């Protein structure tokens, strides 16, 4: 026995360096190579192995070696002898420092395998035991730094498996995971790919780890060997509580092994098992069931979704859940979807659910469950249930009665999924009635998708929509509602005041119908009604896309102020869809999430969308339309660089909106002026033009109102400039005040750091007696200097200015914008009321025909036919005579708009009798097919139809023309339940009829030059168009006149996208009709029977029925003009 010399160390160094060994003990020993022969060896006790080395003249050679995990027995009966038994070999040594060697081996073993069970440790025999020296494992600080010693164990196992340890994994284990308190061992946490050796070393290191509380492998393929390694780990581990193996493509035999390992580990602390999206089959389900029955505690979560088990395996599992008495008190989430329960499994599951339990989330979707067993069981024992998913299981009339009772009795249910349950309309009605009558329901998520409710279901839901008060999310997708059903449903849901998220996907007819535009009109109206919809899903599967027909809805987003999330994917709108979305985003200030992929968008559409998004600062969530982009790159290969730059610009605009520092940093104030304000501005201009074109004489107050209206654009811009100035002043002042605050904050921060230094030194002084006062004094000085240098006033000021100041000013900017909007609303309302008083209160000019003359006698044949204005809010209507203006009349306008309209002579306001207290008038709601765009949203909601009013239905014929009350299209159309003609708006966006056209026939005779219903002198038919209220019409789709097909080449001049007609508002006594008789129909004033007056005039146009409601008073403020 002897010490190692320097020359010998030089020979040993290459061998130790090659094996990266750090010797814990090294020395000469005598090894017995036979019963009579011994040889001198050098023994090296390293970190992970024991080496036996011989020395030559020029080098060293390793004779044998073994890892500590191969060590089976250590025996030492004297201080000079030692026997080591490894699995590969055994060795007897003498003339050695046995106590030193044993201590070194024990220290290394305890450092890396301190948590290994005693049954798996080597046997130690030392005589006498007093020779054993105390050995300490890693300190608590070291364990905390290395995930409970995991990194050291991993390195030891890598050495055992003869694979190199990955430094990135070691660094993560010693830095990232402890710093973030990660206690879930996720295989995706490490850089991929992992070799089989890496996987084995990592998982085997969990054998003796008590740091990690969960093992997760999601979307990570595990072969048979990997499953066996996991099973071996679970057989020993005592800390894993969450075992989540999701979509790992493991074999059923592997899950069976894991189940058996859990059953054998009596101290397994499992509380959460997620084996979803794996084919565990009956064998895996039965093995897990046996393990659950033997657990000394219950699970909190059990998820076997898409497990492909049959009633045999599910029966064993459900019976085990019932047998474990702890499950009823612990199991919160139970997901057995896509496993077959059938009648036997359903009955076993119902037996568990009928006992008092704490299950909150129950998912038995597509399990072929017998719901006649399930619903009564839920009613008896599952009082804590918040989620119920029975999708894909047939709800029979026998189970419907129990379902209704259950819905009426439960108190916590929030999420109900009845998708694909063959839900009959009467059962669906019972479900809704059960929800309505249960006062405990609130914010319910209800899924009726895929049930073929059809038109009857749409009528049913619309009929009780007003009673729905607790449904927050409603999924009606893929229910074959059709265009007509969607129209009825949307109209009915306008009365619902609770739905915030609505899914209507895959419900339009696959072929175009005449009610397509009516359905879109009512959906637009729904989004602007009192129904608080924030999220609308209108995505389309193949065959259900609307193509460019959806554009009217897209353009209507420009004025929508309720939708926060919208999905219009899959409609194939092509480039026009992208351009329309871009235009809508320029003025929409509420939409935050948008999904619009799979619309066939190419470069032109992406560019149009980019322009709009760059002018929008609200949209923050929008997955890039990857399908469209990839297709565009293939089809437009020559434009790839432009497509890349456009997509990059879109991504940058989204990033800007997601950054609160830049959200309100857009230059100028134009983006703060809403599109609704632009519409009111246009309304003012048109009303002012009509007043001047009619030659109305006004008093001084009226002149002032007209002057204010002329300068309104300048004044409104000045209001926004004031806001901008105040915003800048706010930014400067907040930054200044926070800068001053930084001067007060820095001394406090320095003082706090000095207190830390003082306490650190005090702690060292208390615990470390060997450290002298000089060292502690120097340490205190160093810590104090570090404390004073760590805080920089300029840096603190910069942090406050960039973060706190931006957050504060951004929040105030929103309030500033609302204040300017309120002020603008007040200005617009006041000016509109003043100009309406002038317009409706003025005498008709000399060139206009008195309205009384039309009521005293029939108009001669050479005079223009009158146009009646039907006030649906009363039983009779005021008649407004329409005059065709001459070119001189049009030239009298001082400031004509882009497309001047025909001035309408002003009727005499009838003298009102002594005023009585009038009943509350219905709010104005004017909607109709806007030449290929559909009705615009109705501010304030859609009022109920007055008594006696019968809604006309489209029949494909023209009803109630003035020259033929029973039908035909000759002559102008009356405002009423039929159509309303404004000058300049012909059918389908045709140009206005020439101003010098021949006069039309009187209401009593046929039109000259043709048969009834034909245009006079073979000219164009009299122009017709939709009625208008105070709502702004969105711009028409690009590519042609309003109403023309998207790709048509029409020579007609397109109607201006910003035309705003003057609202027709007859002012009259609420108790007396206007002179000239009633007649709410489309016939001549005062003529026709009551039934004819109720029918009104209008035609089909395959765009729904025009509906017009006029009231005496115009709504005021933000409540009247919805932003």
């Amino acid at each position: 026995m002897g010490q190692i010399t320097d020359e010998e160390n030089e020979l040993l160094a290459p061998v130790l360096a090659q094996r990266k060994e750090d010797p814990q003990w090294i020395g000469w020993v005598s090894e017995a190579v036979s019963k009579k022969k011994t040889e001198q060896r050098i023994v090296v006790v390293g970190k992970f192995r024991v080496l036996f080395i011989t020395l030559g003249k020029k080098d060293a050679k390793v004779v044998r070696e073994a890892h500590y995990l191969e060590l089976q027995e250590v025996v030492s009966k004297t201080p000079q002898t030692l026997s080591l038994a490894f699995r590969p070999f055994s060795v007897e040594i003498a003339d050695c420092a046995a106590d030193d060697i044993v201590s070194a081996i024990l220290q290394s073993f305890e450092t890396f395998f301190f948590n290994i069970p005693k049954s798996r440790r080597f046997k130690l025999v030392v005589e006498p035991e007093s020779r054993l020296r105390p050995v300490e494992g890693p300190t608590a600080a070291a364990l905390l730094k290395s995930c409970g010693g995991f990194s050291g164990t991993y390195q030891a196992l890598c050495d055992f498996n003869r694979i190199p340890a990955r430094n990135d994994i070691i660094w993560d284990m010693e830095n990232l995971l402890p710093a973030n308190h990660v206690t879930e061992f996720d295989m995706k946490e490490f850089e991929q790919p992992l070799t089989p050796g890496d996987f084995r070393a990592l998982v085997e290191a969990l054998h003796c780890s008590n740091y990690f509380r969960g093992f997760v492998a999601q979307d990570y393929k595990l072969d048979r060997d990997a499953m066996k390694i996991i099973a071996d780990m679970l057989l020993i581990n005592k800390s894993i509580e969450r075992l989540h193996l999701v979509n790992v493509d493991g074999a059923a035999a592997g899950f069976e092994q894991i189940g058996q390992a859990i059953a054998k580990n009596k101290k397994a602390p499992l509380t959460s098992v997620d084996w979803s999206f794996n084919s565990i089959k009956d064998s895996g389900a039965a093995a897990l069931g046996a393990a659950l029955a033997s657990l000394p505690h219950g699970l909190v979560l059990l998820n076997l979704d898409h497990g492909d088990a049959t009633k045999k395996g599910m029966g064993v599992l459900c019976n085990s859940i019932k047998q474990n008495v702890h499950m009823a008190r612990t199991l919160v989430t139970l997901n057995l979807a896509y496993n077959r329960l059938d009648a036997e499994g359903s009955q076993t599951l119902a037996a568990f659910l009928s006992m008092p339990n704490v299950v909150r989330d129950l998912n038995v979707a597509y399990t072929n469950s017998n719901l006649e067993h399930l619903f009564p069981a839920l009613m008896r024992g599952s009082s804590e249930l918040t989620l119920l998913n029975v999708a894909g299981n047939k709800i029979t009339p026998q189970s419907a009665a129990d379902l209704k009772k259950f819905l009426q009795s439960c108190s916590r249910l929030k999420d109900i999924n009845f998708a694909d349950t063959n839900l009959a309309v009467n059962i669906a009605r019972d479900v809704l009635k059960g929800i309505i009558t249960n006062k405990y329901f609130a914010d319910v998520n209800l899924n009726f998708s895929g049930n073929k409710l059809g038109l009857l279901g749409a009528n049913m839901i619309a009929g009780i929509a007003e009673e729905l008060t607790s449904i927050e999310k409603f999924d009606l997708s893929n229910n074959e509602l059709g265009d007509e059903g969607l129209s009825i449903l949307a109209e009915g849901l306008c009365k619902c005041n609770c739905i915030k998220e609505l899914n209507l996907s895959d419900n339009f007819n696959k072929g175009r119908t005449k009610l397509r535009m009516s359905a879109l009109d009512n959906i637009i109206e729904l989004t602007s009604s009192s129904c608080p919809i924030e999220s609308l899903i209108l995505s389309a599967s193949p065959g259900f896309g609307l193509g460019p027909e959806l554009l009217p809805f897209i353009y209507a987003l420009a004025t929508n102020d309720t939708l926060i999330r919208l999905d219009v994917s899959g409609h194939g709108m092509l480039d026009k869809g992208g351009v329309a979305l871009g235009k809508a985003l320029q003025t929409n200030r509420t939409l935050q999430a948008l999904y619009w992929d799979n619309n066939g968008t190419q470069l032109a559409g992406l560019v149009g969308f980019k322009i709009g998004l760059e002018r929008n600062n609200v949209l923050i969530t929008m997955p890039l339309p990857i399908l469209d982009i990839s297709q565009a790159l293939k089809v437009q290969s020559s434009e790839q660089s432009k497509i890349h730059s456009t997509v990059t610009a879109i991504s940058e605009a989204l990033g800007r909106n997601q950054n609160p520092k830049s959200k309100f940093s857009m230059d100028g104030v134009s983006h703060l002026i809403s599109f609704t304000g632009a519409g009111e501005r246009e309304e003012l201009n048109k009303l002012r033009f009509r007043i001047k074109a009619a030659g109305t004489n006004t008093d001084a107050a009226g002149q002032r109102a007209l002057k204010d209206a002329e300068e309104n654009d300048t004044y409104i811009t000045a209001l926004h400039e004031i806001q901008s100035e105040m915003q800048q002043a706010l930014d400067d002042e907040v930054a200044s005040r926070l800068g001053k605050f930084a001067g007060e904050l820095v001394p406090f921060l320095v003082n706090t750091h000095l207190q830390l230094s003082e306490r650190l030194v005090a702690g060292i002084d208390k615990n470390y007696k060997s450290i002298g006062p000089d060292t502690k004094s120097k340490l205190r000085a160093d810590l104090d200097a570090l404390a004073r240098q760590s805080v920089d006033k300029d840096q603190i000021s910069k942090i406050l200015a960039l973060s706190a100041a931006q957050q504060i000013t951004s929040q105030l900017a929103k309030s500033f914008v609302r204040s300017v909007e309120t002020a603008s609303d007040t200005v617009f309302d006041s000016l509109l009321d003043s100009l309406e008083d002038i317009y409706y209160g003025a005498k008709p000019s000399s060139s206009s025909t008195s309205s009384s003359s039309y009521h005293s006698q029939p108009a001669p044949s050479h005079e223009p036919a009158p146009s009646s204005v039907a006030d649906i809010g009363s039983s009779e209507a005021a008649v407004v005579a329409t005059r065709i203006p001459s070119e001189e009349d049009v030239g009298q306008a001082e400031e004509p708009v882009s497309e001047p309209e025909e001035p309408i002579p002003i009727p005499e306001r009838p003298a009102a009798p002594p005023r009585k207290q009038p009943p509350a008038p219905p709010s104005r709601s004017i909607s109709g097919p806007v030449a290929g765009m559909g009705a615009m949203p109705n501010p304030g909601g859609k009022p109920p139809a007055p008594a006696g009013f019968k809604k006309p239905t489209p029949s494909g014929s023209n009803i109630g023309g003035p020259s033929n009350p029973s039908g035909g299209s000759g002559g102008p159309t009356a405002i009423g339940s039929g159509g309303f003609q404004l000058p300049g708006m012909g059918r389908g966006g045709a140009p206005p009829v020439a101003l010098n056209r021949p006069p039309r026939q009187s209401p009593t005779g046929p039109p000259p030059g043709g048969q009834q219903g034909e245009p006079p002198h073979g000219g164009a038919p009299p122009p017709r168009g939709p009625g208008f209220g105070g709502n702004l019409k969105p711009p028409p789709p690009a590519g042609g006149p309003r109403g023309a097909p998207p790709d048509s080449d029409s020579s007609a001049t397109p109607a201006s996208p910003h035309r705003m007609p003057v609202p027709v508002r007859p002012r009259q006594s609420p108790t007396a009709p206007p002179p000239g008789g009633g007649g709410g129909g489309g016939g001549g004033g005062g003529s026709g029977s009551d039934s004819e007056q109720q029918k009104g005039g209008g035609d089909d146009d395959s765009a729904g029925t025009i509906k017009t409601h006029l009231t005496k008073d115009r709504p005021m403020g933000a409540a009247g003009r919805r932003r």
Side-chain angles (χ1 to χ4, degrees), residues 59-79:
D59 59 0
K61 181 180 179 181
V62 177
V63 178
R64 63 185 71 178
E65 61 179 305
H67 196 276
Y68 293 131
L69 291 177
E70 298 175 301
L71 183 60
Q72 295 178 321
E73 187 178 46
V74 176
V75 178
S76 176
K77 295 185 178 181
T78 66

Side-chain angles (χ1 to χ4, degrees), residues 683-732:
E683 186 177 349
L684 273 178
N685 289 335
K686 290 185 179 292
L687 189 54
R688 180 167 52 86
F689 168 72
R690 289 172 182 267
I691 292 173
K692 293 187 176 182
T696 305
N697 296 322
T698 58
D699 55 12
Q703 291 293 336
R704 288 195 297 271
L706 285 172
K707 180 65 175 176
D708 288 344
E710 292 174 5
E711 301 294 335
N712 182 57
D713 288 351
T714 302
Y715 297 158
I716 289 294
T717 302
L719 294 179
H720 286 282
E721 289 175 351
I722 293 173
Q723 182 262 331
S724 181
E725 292 173 3
M726 292 301 299
Q727 180 72 43
Q728 184 61 46
L730 174 70
D731 294 345
D732 296 340

